[in-house]
Amino acid sequence: MSMTNANFPMDPEGTKRGELANRILTVGDPARAIILSRSLDGVDLENTPPKTIPSNLFSCSSHRGFLTITGRFKGVPVSIVAIGMGVSMMDFFVRESRAIVDGPMVIIRLGSCGSLSDAKVGDIHVPSGSYLVQRNVDYFADDSDKSVVKPYHLSKIFQADPKITQTLIKNMSAKLGKEHVWSGINATADSFYSSQGRQDNNFVDDNQDLFTELIKHEPNTMTLEMETFVLYHLAKTSTGASLVGSQALVNGSIKKTSSIKAGACMMVFAQRKTNAFISKEDVVRVEPLAGEAVFESLIEVHLGDDQDLHPTKGS
Ligand code: R1P
Ligand code: URA
């Protein structure tokens, strides 16, 4: 049997071509998306109550659970997309966005994380690469040989776009102070619990040694969260199919080079070495500053020759 196309079951209520900018800031939490939208051009801060999407911006809530807000930052079209949590949501978001945006894209994730470094809660990590931590379900089968099979599978590292990482570190340092910005490698886990080393005696997880395994796998492992790996991985494996004209083709075939540049940064919500958890006040202080540093970075990154040829509603 041969399969011919992606056969996208996209949400008919979702964001359409022309409504999503080539430069996207993605977050998990829709409330974070709304807070960050207050930094976009032309927002009447005095007359826009908190938790309300500014009326001058385009917005769309889809059945997928995505919230898209599109406007401009310093005159450049940008979108904010809240996608919820986990690797599948990042996969939906990157593929379905790629399908409706023409030309090169840049996507930066601003999330929260648990930190294995000496970072304090409220500090920011900008990981230059990420690997995937997956629960190896076969290990938990009755007939698995536990002396050979490991309970968690750790993937190879996929890199962020190095220019985006550099730009994010520079802009985050300017907003929050250099001493609050960390780099390193991220681990994206397929669970908030077992594959992030959280102990839960309601289940057999065999994850007591997970942190040791992570450091053995990659000594520079600093953060644990649930989406970034998929973003870096899909950016690397994206093709030129959505590029325009000569940008898309080499000798009549679709270019294999990436059409998506990706980066990520994350606020430390949980300090896993000390068990400290961020306060509400710190979230309120850090979120908008980090958001502005991401917008600054999004518009600094060079997309390609046709970067602003795609008109975007709400801008
Ligand atoms: C878990 O609480 C969630 O927080 C982190 C994780 O990646 C996971 O999605 O990111 P967000 O703050 O972006 O949701
Ligand atoms: N998000 C995660 O995935 N893990 C944490 O510990 C904190 C935020």
Side-chain angles (χ1 to χ4, degrees):
M1 183 170 65
S2 77
M3 308 292 276
T4 49
N5 62 37
N7 208 5
F8 279 108
M10 294 208 305
D11 185 345
E13 304 303 314
T15 308
K16 313 244 172 349
R17 191 172 292 277
E19 296 172 343
L20 191 61
N22 292 61
R23 299 166 194 269
I24 304 174
L25 188 173
T26 180
V27 297
D29 182 359
R32 185 178 305 147
I34 295 172
I35 289 165
L36 302 187
S37 71
R38 297 176 76 87
S39 299
L40 297 185
D41 294 354
V43 174
D44 180 356
L45 291 174
E46 266 177 32
N47 295 309
T48 307
K51 303 186 184 172
T52 306
I53 299 170
S55 59
N56 65 314
L57 305 175
F58 166 84
S59 71
C60 171
S61 293
S62 73
H63 290 304
R64 282 266 189 277
F66 290 175
L67 170 65
T68 300
I69 303 174
T70 296
R72 286 180 183 255
F73 183 77
K74 298 193 173 170
V76 180
V78 294
S79 292
I80 307 167
V81 185
I83 65 168
M85 299 182 203
V87 292
S88 312
M89 296 306 272
M90 184 58 90
D91 188 71
F92 272 120
F93 158 65
V94 176
R95 289 176 186 273
E96 295 185 357
S97 302
R98 182 61 288 180
I100 58 161
V101 172
D102 296 320
M105 296 172 74
V106 49
I107 305 178
I108 302 179
R109 168 172 151 77
L110 170 59
S112 64
C113 68
S115 178
L116 304 181
S117 74
D118 292 329
K120 301 211 165 32
V121 291
D123 285 358
I124 298 278
H125 277 278
V126 184
S128 59
S130 180
Y131 62 92
L132 184 64
V133 184
Q134 282 167 299
R135 183 176 171 100
N136 179 7
V137 291
D138 286 350
Y139 168 93
F140 299 90
D142 288 338
D143 61 354
S144 83
D145 178 354
K146 297 197 171 32
S147 65
V148 184
V149 184
K150 294 209 167 193
Y152 295 89
H153 177 261
L154 312 181
S155 79
K156 287 184 189 294
I157 295 170
F158 283 71
Q159 304 294 337
D161 179 275
K163 186 80 186 55
I164 296 181
T165 302
Q166 252 176 36
T167 309
L168 278 171
I169 290 175
K170 170 180 71 87
N171 290 332
M172 285 293 173
S173 302
K175 292 276 176 205
L176 292 156
K178 222 165 64 203
E179 67 281 16
H180 295 295
V181 182
W182 301 69
S183 48
I185 298 296
N186 173 64
T188 290
D190 65 0
S191 163
F192 186 79
Y193 299 102
S194 65
S195 43
Q196 291 195 31
R198 290 190 161 90
Q199 303 301 302
D200 176 359
N201 64 13
N202 288 308
F203 296 90
V204 175
D205 289 327
D206 284 0
N207 61 354
Q208 298 79 352
D209 299 327
L210 185 64
F211 286 178
T212 311
E213 292 293 321
L214 299 185
I215 299 298
K216 223 191 295 168
H217 181 66
E218 168 48 58
N220 209 16
T221 302
M222 295 221 174
T223 49
L224 275 160
E225 49 77 86
M226 299 177 66
E227 297 84 11
T228 296
F229 173 84
V230 179
L231 175 59
Y232 290 2
H233 175 76
L234 288 178
K236 171 165 172 53
T237 55
S238 61
T239 69
S242 306
L243 302 182
V244 181
S246 62
Q247 280 195 321
L249 303 175
V250 185
N251 300 330
S253 302
I254 291 172
K255 267 189 199 167
K256 292 222 170 77
T257 50
S258 307
S259 61
I260 302 174
K261 290 181 183 172
C265 47
M266 44 211 72
M267 300 170 280
V268 177
F269 273 23
Q271 169 41 265
R272 298 299 305 278
K273 295 212 289 200
T274 64
N275 262 342
F277 203 84
I278 196 167
S279 66
K280 241 189 158 158
E281 293 72 37
D282 269 347
V283 177
V284 169
R285 177 181 61 82
V286 174
E287 245 175 11
L289 292 174
E292 278 176 26
V294 174
F295 288 130
E296 296 283 0
S297 307
L298 270 178
I299 68 169
E300 256 179 78
V301 173
H302 183 67
L303 265 184
D305 292 341
D306 66 339
Q307 55 186 323
D308 285 320
L309 286 183
H310 307 292
T312 309
K313 284 185 195 165
S315 54

mmCIF file of all heavy atoms in Angstrom, residues 37-55:
data_model
loop_
_atom_site.group_PDB
_atom_site.id
_atom_site.type_symbol
_atom_site.label_atom_id
_atom_site.label_comp_id
_atom_site.label_asym_id
_atom_site.label_seq_id
_atom_site.Cartn_x
_atom_site.Cartn_y
_atom_site.Cartn_z
ATOM 1 N N SER A 37 0.994 39.129 24.660
ATOM 2 C CA SER A 37 0.418 39.913 23.558
ATOM 3 C C SER A 37 0.347 41.401 23.921
ATOM 4 O O SER A 37 0.247 42.255 23.038
ATOM 5 C CB SER A 37 -0.971 39.385 23.181
ATOM 6 O OG SER A 37 -1.913 39.699 24.188
ATOM 7 N N ARG A 38 0.452 41.715 25.198
ATOM 8 C CA ARG A 38 0.417 43.121 25.621
ATOM 9 C C ARG A 38 1.664 43.885 25.162
ATOM 10 O O ARG A 38 1.685 45.114 25.191
ATOM 11 C CB ARG A 38 0.248 43.228 27.150
ATOM 12 C CG ARG A 38 -1.085 42.642 27.625
ATOM 13 C CD ARG A 38 -1.205 42.649 29.138
ATOM 14 N NE ARG A 38 -1.499 43.956 29.706
ATOM 15 C CZ ARG A 38 -2.710 44.453 29.874
ATOM 16 N NH1 ARG A 38 -3.765 43.766 29.480
ATOM 17 N NH2 ARG A 38 -2.881 45.648 30.432
ATOM 18 N N SER A 39 2.711 43.152 24.760
ATOM 19 C CA SER A 39 3.936 43.828 24.273
ATOM 20 C C SER A 39 3.863 44.150 22.790
ATOM 21 O O SER A 39 4.793 44.751 22.244
ATOM 22 C CB SER A 39 5.159 42.927 24.493
ATOM 23 O OG SER A 39 5.326 42.668 25.847
ATOM 24 N N LEU A 40 2.790 43.735 22.115
ATOM 25 C CA LEU A 40 2.739 43.964 20.658
ATOM 26 C C LEU A 40 2.326 45.411 20.336
ATOM 27 O O LEU A 40 1.767 46.125 21.189
ATOM 28 C CB LEU A 40 1.796 42.953 19.996
ATOM 29 C CG LEU A 40 2.245 41.483 20.135
ATOM 30 C CD1 LEU A 40 1.317 40.556 19.344
ATOM 31 C CD2 LEU A 40 3.690 41.267 19.696
ATOM 32 N N ASP A 41 2.601 45.822 19.110
ATOM 33 C CA ASP A 41 2.365 47.214 18.703
ATOM 34 C C ASP A 41 0.886 47.592 18.836
ATOM 35 O O ASP A 41 -0.007 46.784 18.519
ATOM 36 C CB ASP A 41 2.747 47.405 17.217
ATOM 37 C CG ASP A 41 4.231 47.226 16.979
ATOM 38 O OD1 ASP A 41 4.987 47.066 17.958
ATOM 39 O OD2 ASP A 41 4.636 47.258 15.799
ATOM 40 N N GLY A 42 0.666 48.820 19.262
ATOM 41 C CA GLY A 42 -0.666 49.418 19.203
ATOM 42 C C GLY A 42 -1.631 48.953 20.278
ATOM 43 O O GLY A 42 -2.820 49.287 20.219
ATOM 44 N N VAL A 43 -1.147 48.193 21.270
ATOM 45 C CA VAL A 43 -2.071 47.707 22.317
ATOM 46 C C VAL A 43 -2.370 48.861 23.288
ATOM 47 O O VAL A 43 -1.452 49.518 23.778
ATOM 48 C CB VAL A 43 -1.461 46.505 23.075
ATOM 49 C CG1 VAL A 43 -2.341 46.104 24.249
ATOM 50 C CG2 VAL A 43 -1.247 45.334 22.119
ATOM 51 N N ASP A 44 -3.657 49.078 23.535
ATOM 52 C CA ASP A 44 -4.086 50.126 24.468
ATOM 53 C C ASP A 44 -4.072 49.513 25.876
ATOM 54 O O ASP A 44 -5.055 48.933 26.338
ATOM 55 C CB ASP A 44 -5.505 50.568 24.052
ATOM 56 C CG ASP A 44 -6.041 51.652 24.969
ATOM 57 O OD1 ASP A 44 -5.359 52.004 25.960
ATOM 58 O OD2 ASP A 44 -7.154 52.146 24.683
ATOM 59 N N LEU A 45 -2.907 49.638 26.529
ATOM 60 C CA LEU A 45 -2.721 48.933 27.810
ATOM 61 C C LEU A 45 -3.713 49.401 28.870
ATOM 62 O O LEU A 45 -4.233 48.603 29.651
ATOM 63 C CB LEU A 45 -1.282 49.122 28.306
ATOM 64 C CG LEU A 45 -0.224 48.392 27.468
ATOM 65 C CD1 LEU A 45 1.176 48.755 27.928
ATOM 66 C CD2 LEU A 45 -0.419 46.881 27.525
ATOM 67 N N GLU A 46 -4.002 50.707 28.862
ATOM 68 C CA GLU A 46 -4.909 51.245 29.905
ATOM 69 C C GLU A 46 -6.314 50.681 29.792
ATOM 70 O O GLU A 46 -6.975 50.423 30.792
ATOM 71 C CB GLU A 46 -4.985 52.757 29.781
ATOM 72 C CG GLU A 46 -3.994 53.431 30.700
ATOM 73 C CD GLU A 46 -4.002 54.933 30.549
ATOM 74 O OE1 GLU A 46 -5.073 55.504 30.253
ATOM 75 O OE2 GLU A 46 -2.907 55.506 30.710
ATOM 76 N N ASN A 47 -6.767 50.466 28.544
ATOM 77 C CA ASN A 47 -8.158 50.030 28.349
ATOM 78 C C ASN A 47 -8.282 48.552 28.010
ATOM 79 O O ASN A 47 -9.348 48.112 27.577
ATOM 80 C CB ASN A 47 -8.824 50.888 27.273
ATOM 81 C CG ASN A 47 -8.936 52.316 27.744
ATOM 82 O OD1 ASN A 47 -9.435 52.569 28.836
ATOM 83 N ND2 ASN A 47 -8.412 53.249 26.958
ATOM 84 N N THR A 48 -7.182 47.781 28.163
ATOM 85 C CA THR A 48 -7.268 46.328 27.940
ATOM 86 C C THR A 48 -7.119 45.632 29.286
ATOM 87 O O THR A 48 -6.016 45.598 29.851
ATOM 88 C CB THR A 48 -6.157 45.845 26.976
ATOM 89 O OG1 THR A 48 -6.214 46.631 25.782
ATOM 90 C CG2 THR A 48 -6.319 44.381 26.638
ATOM 91 N N PRO A 49 -8.228 45.102 29.842
ATOM 92 C CA PRO A 49 -8.119 44.451 31.148
ATOM 93 C C PRO A 49 -7.176 43.251 31.066
ATOM 94 O O PRO A 49 -7.047 42.635 30.002
ATOM 95 C CB PRO A 49 -9.547 43.974 31.441
ATOM 96 C CG PRO A 49 -10.414 44.613 30.430
ATOM 97 C CD PRO A 49 -9.569 45.023 29.259
ATOM 98 N N PRO A 50 -6.508 42.904 32.199
ATOM 99 C CA PRO A 50 -5.667 41.715 32.212
ATOM 100 C C PRO A 50 -6.507 40.497 31.787
ATOM 101 O O PRO A 50 -7.732 40.504 31.978
ATOM 102 C CB PRO A 50 -5.244 41.572 33.676
ATOM 103 C CG PRO A 50 -5.663 42.824 34.366
ATOM 104 C CD PRO A 50 -6.648 43.543 33.504
ATOM 105 N N LYS A 51 -5.896 39.478 31.234
ATOM 106 C CA LYS A 51 -6.564 38.241 30.792
ATOM 107 C C LYS A 51 -7.446 38.452 29.573
ATOM 108 O O LYS A 51 -8.279 37.614 29.234
ATOM 109 C CB LYS A 51 -7.389 37.599 31.914
ATOM 110 C CG LYS A 51 -6.574 37.279 33.143
ATOM 111 C CD LYS A 51 -7.383 36.533 34.164
ATOM 112 C CE LYS A 51 -6.546 36.333 35.428
ATOM 113 N NZ LYS A 51 -7.266 35.790 36.535
ATOM 114 N N THR A 52 -7.345 39.635 28.923
ATOM 115 C CA THR A 52 -8.159 39.906 27.738
ATOM 116 C C THR A 52 -7.241 40.078 26.537
ATOM 117 O O THR A 52 -6.208 40.755 26.642
ATOM 118 C CB THR A 52 -8.944 41.234 27.941
ATOM 119 O OG1 THR A 52 -9.652 41.111 29.157
ATOM 120 C CG2 THR A 52 -9.890 41.521 26.798
ATOM 121 N N ILE A 53 -7.614 39.487 25.405
ATOM 122 C CA ILE A 53 -6.791 39.645 24.205
ATOM 123 C C ILE A 53 -7.007 41.063 23.666
ATOM 124 O O ILE A 53 -8.154 41.478 23.458
ATOM 125 C CB ILE A 53 -7.178 38.605 23.136
ATOM 126 C CG1 ILE A 53 -6.943 37.193 23.687
ATOM 127 C CG2 ILE A 53 -6.383 38.821 21.844
ATOM 128 C CD1 ILE A 53 -7.504 36.081 22.832
ATOM 129 N N PRO A 54 -5.931 41.827 23.470
ATOM 130 C CA PRO A 54 -6.088 43.207 22.976
ATOM 131 C C PRO A 54 -6.895 43.246 21.672
ATOM 132 O O PRO A 54 -6.692 42.420 20.771
ATOM 133 C CB PRO A 54 -4.635 43.667 22.755
ATOM 134 C CG PRO A 54 -3.827 42.807 23.688
ATOM 135 C CD PRO A 54 -4.518 41.479 23.720
ATOM 136 N N SER A 55 -7.819 44.225 21.589
ATOM 137 C CA SER A 55 -8.794 44.203 20.493
ATOM 138 C C SER A 55 -8.179 44.529 19.138
ATOM 139 O O SER A 55 -8.784 44.257 18.102
ATOM 140 C CB SER A 55 -9.947 45.167 20.799
ATOM 141 O OG SER A 55 -9.402 46.453 20.956
#
